[in-house]
Amino acid sequence: MPALAGTCDQVRDNPAMTLTLPDAAPDTLTNPVGMAWNNRFASLGPDFYTPQPMRPLGQPYWISRNAAVARELGLGSDWLASAEALEAFAGNRLLPGTAPLASVYSGHQFGQWAGQLGDGRATLLGELQTPQGGREVQLKGAGMTPYSRMGDGRAVLRSSIREYLCSEAMHALGIATTRALCLAGSDDRVRREEIETAAVVTRTAPSFIRFGHFEHFSYADQHAQLRTLADFVIDHFYPACRDATQPYAALLQAVSERTAELMAGWQSVGFCHGVMNTDNMSILGLTIDYGPFQFLDAFVPGHICNQSDSQGRYAYNKQPNIAYWNLFCLGQALLPLIEEQERALEALESYKTVYPQALQARLRAKLGLLDDAARQDDKPLIESTLQLLAAQQIDHTIFWRRLCHFHTPAGREAVRDLFLDRPAFEAWAAQYGARRDQQDPAVSTRLMLATNPKFVLRNHLGEQAIRAAQHKDFSEIDKLLKVLQSPFDEHEELADHAALSGFPPDWAADIEISCSS
Ligand code: AMP
Ligand code: MG
């Protein structure tokens, strides 16, 4: 893939990069039985969004459908496979009860205030009730909105496949995320560095509200709207905050804690997001807006996955600090409601205790350490493990998976084989082995096999699926979806399970992923 010079903003704001698709009035479909839409977000009122006409996608076709999310939403797979569903989720026809809208937000991009942004290519259809609570359903890539600025409102097939697969992979890894219901494609042309084709991902979440929604109203001194938004989020998603003496400070603290848990999740699986702008930070602590993300191959703490991030602001090892910086922006935005600076700072402080605790808990599980953490300080062991991986740039996923079997001679040898500097390995292995011997081996191994995935969406796997899809072969996507939805299983039934879980090929190092999507 060609590298992209400049930042996301330069690409979007360059008229030569855009292609406008025609508007058309959509027809209405019939709803399948039992599908009742509401839209709590719309109740916020017109300051928060613009009703959004659908922009049809030319001759859509199915690329993939996700039965797991369909079940969660109460949609039958037969209906989801229908031509009607395709029309609905390509954005070509309205489902009754939906009232599509695009929301307005602002944000800090690459550390700078970027002003008004908004759903430039996302359309919220509405919300479906599920036993797990309301799930908003949003189309990404469904055409221009008042917030598209110079963008075309579309998403290309390549980035849509990556979002579709990765959000499901994250969910299966136990990391909070938006999810993906289905992926529709079209031969409509979309101009990026090259001409590509368009796709629409249908994604779901309890809410798509971002830090940037709060920043938007705060920076515009619209404090009544800011309060309405904060009350909405508290009432629907953080009800316990309502009982606090200062509900808005409690909200900031709760979001800080969820974000801390999220960062611990990302760091523990080697996930780099790539564009942690405040408009890409979920108020629910979900992973959102999959763009130039990457799972680490070799453990290189300073790894930068986004070709557009020339300063390395969003490098892997900077993510936890950037999340804190972003929370600070949220705190700043909430200050008119919290009123006292000290209280806001106090609420943010919780991040500094929750993040290390959450990370330590995840890493102890990865190391198979079961016994009470209070009895043993595992911090030095955790640090020496990460230092060893970094010093020798060991493959992150393969190391942790092989470590599951460290207690057997063959398993130990398989781990040792990863290291060129054998004395360094042996010194660490003595330290780890002594600690591991204190655990019940069967229980420890079971925990590790359920914590250290065999499969993650490495860049080259995504790339292989993208290349096949560009030739209209969508089978790789479905195969990867299945594997990534149960990443702790061995999947020996697949002839290529070893390749899917193996080292990246040499060409993987040349894959360049930018903000262009
Ligand atoms: P991102 O960097 O992808 O998070 O996008 C930042 C902002 O640009 C958001 O407001 C997006 O909705 C908007 N945006 C990104 N790509 C496009 C596009 N192709 N068309 C319209 N808006 C876009
Ligand atoms: Mg975004």
Side-chain angles (χ1 to χ4, degrees):
M1 234 176 272
L4 177 70
T7 65
C8 306
D9 262 11
Q10 283 166 329
V11 174
R12 218 181 11 257
D13 294 345
N14 179 352
M17 293 291 191
T18 65
L19 186 86
T20 309
L21 295 164
D23 295 2
D27 303 328
T28 302
L29 297 165
T30 50
N31 253 336
V33 180
M35 194 198 279
W37 293 88
N38 67 342
N39 194 341
R40 291 183 293 182
F41 186 87
S43 72
L44 284 168
D47 290 339
F48 294 82
Y49 61 87
T50 306
Q52 185 52 38
M54 297 287 202
R55 317 287 192 188
L57 187 69
Q59 299 187 311
Y61 43 80
W62 281 125
I63 292 176
S64 184
R65 296 180 301 273
N66 181 0
V69 171
R71 260 195 310 278
E72 193 180 297
L73 295 178
L75 305 179
S77 343
D78 285 353
W79 179 78
L80 187 59
S82 71
E84 270 206 349
L86 175 59
E87 291 283 297
F89 295 127
N92 290 6
R93 294 217 271 161
L94 279 179
L95 286 165
T98 58
L101 63 84
S103 76
V104 63
Y105 53 82
S106 294
H108 282 85
Q109 296 189 317
F110 291 90
Q112 307 291 329
W113 176 244
Q116 181 179 302
L117 304 164
D119 294 328
R121 53 174 168 175
T123 300
L124 181 64
L125 294 185
E127 188 181 349
L128 287 171
Q129 285 312 312
T130 78
Q132 290 75 40
R135 289 289 179 272
E136 291 186 346
V137 179
Q138 192 185 67
L139 307 184
K140 180 169 176 183
M144 281 172 59
T145 78
Y147 315 112
S148 299
R149 299 186 287 164
M150 301 301 284
D152 57 10
R154 292 294 172 192
V156 295
L157 174 64
R158 120 183 98 74
S159 65
S160 304
I161 292 171
R162 283 168 50 86
E163 168 144 8
Y164 178 77
L165 290 175
C166 197
S167 57
E168 284 308 287
M170 293 295 266
H171 176 73
L173 291 171
I175 297 172
T177 177
T178 63
R179 297 193 65 187
L181 171 67
C182 54
L183 179 56
S186 161
D187 292 342
D188 279 354
R189 288 146 46 98
V190 179
R191 189 188 294 271
R192 295 292 180 264
E193 295 87 50
E194 298 167 358
I195 299 289
E196 301 184 49
T197 61
V200 174
V201 183
T202 300
R203 58 186 190 177
T204 76
S207 170
F208 289 95
I209 295 176
R210 302 142 190 268
F211 291 9
H213 281 94
F214 289 86
E215 291 180 281
H216 180 75
F217 295 104
S218 193
Y219 274 69
D221 285 330
Q222 293 183 309
H223 295 172
Q225 289 87 335
L226 180 67
R227 188 179 298 272
T228 302
L229 182 66
D231 286 339
F232 177 88
V233 169
I234 289 173
D235 291 346
H236 295 304
F237 306 110
Y238 292 96
C241 295
R242 183 57 67 207
D243 304 328
T245 44
Q246 220 304 355
Y248 307 112
L251 173 64
L252 181 59
Q253 177 165 341
V255 176
S256 300
E257 289 170 6
R258 284 222 201 155
T259 306
E261 296 279 354
L262 181 69
M263 288 308 113
W266 287 5
Q267 299 307 107
S268 71
V269 296
F271 177 78
C272 312
H273 181 281
V275 210
M276 289 178 68
N277 295 333
T278 57
D279 53 300
N280 289 336
M281 297 293 292
S282 152
I283 203 70
L284 302 185
L286 309 174
T287 314
I288 189 171
D289 281 11
Y290 291 84
F293 70 82
Q294 185 182 2
F295 281 90
L296 292 178
D297 289 319
F299 187 68
V300 179
H303 182 71
I304 305 162
C305 65
N306 178 356
Q307 294 298 311
S308 313
D309 181 11
S310 51
Q311 306 293 312
R313 179 179 174 84
Y314 299 137
Y316 166 76
N317 58 358
K318 297 214 177 125
Q319 297 186 127
N321 281 345
I322 291 289
Y324 184 65
W325 192 92
N326 290 342
L327 284 162
F328 216 87
C329 292
L330 179 65
Q332 183 73 47
L334 286 170
L335 208 51
L337 305 183
I338 299 175
E339 289 169 352
E340 289 165 62
Q341 172 125 331
E342 277 311 305
R343 282 203 114 135
L345 290 174
E346 221 174 88
L348 291 167
E349 276 298 293
S350 61
Y351 183 87
K352 295 189 196 159
T353 42
V354 176
Y355 171 68
Q357 276 167 7
L359 184 66
Q360 171 140 311
R362 287 204 177 243
L363 287 170
R364 289 184 81 254
K366 287 177 86 67
L367 287 162
L369 306 178
L370 310 155
D371 50 358
D372 185 0
R375 279 198 293 129
Q376 182 94 29
D377 181 7
D378 287 316
K379 228 171 127 198
L381 175 60
I382 289 172
E383 274 166 13
S384 67
T385 307
L386 297 178
Q387 272 159 16
L388 182 78
L389 295 183
Q392 301 196 42
Q393 306 205 342
I394 304 302
D395 188 281
H396 188 255
T397 305
I398 292 177
F399 167 80
W400 288 108
R401 188 70 181 182
R402 287 196 188 176
L403 196 66
C404 302
H405 300 290
F406 181 87
H407 63 290
T408 69
R412 190 184 193 282
E413 206 169 302
V415 180
R416 193 193 57 190
D417 286 349
L418 294 169
F419 292 85
L420 279 177
D421 182 350
R422 293 288 161 86
F425 168 77
E426 293 299 347
W428 171 84
Q431 183 194 9
Y432 175 58
R435 191 73 186 90
R436 180 87 183 258
D437 285 347
Q438 296 167 350
Q439 321 299 314
D440 177 322
V443 182
S444 186
T445 304
R446 245 197 331 272
L447 171 71
M448 292 174 83
L449 286 170
T451 308
N452 298 321
K454 179 170 175 180
F455 303 94
V456 294
L457 182 60
R458 293 178 190 258
N459 263 353
H460 75 277
L461 298 177
E463 190 63 23
Q464 280 164 349
I466 290 165
R467 288 181 191 171
Q470 285 167 339
H471 292 95
K472 294 272 175 5
D473 171 4
F474 306 131
S475 60
E476 287 290 313
I477 297 174
D478 285 334
K479 181 176 76 186
L480 275 182
L481 181 67
K482 182 173 169 229
V483 165
L484 295 170
Q485 284 182 328
S486 44
F488 303 107
D489 293 352
E490 297 294 337
H491 288 289
E492 278 166 359
E493 76 282 2
L494 293 175
D496 56 351
H497 73 93
L500 294 173
S501 60
F503 291 100
D506 290 342
W507 60 265
D510 300 328
I511 300 172
E512 294 182 342
I513 310 281
S514 71
C515 275
S516 156
S517 61

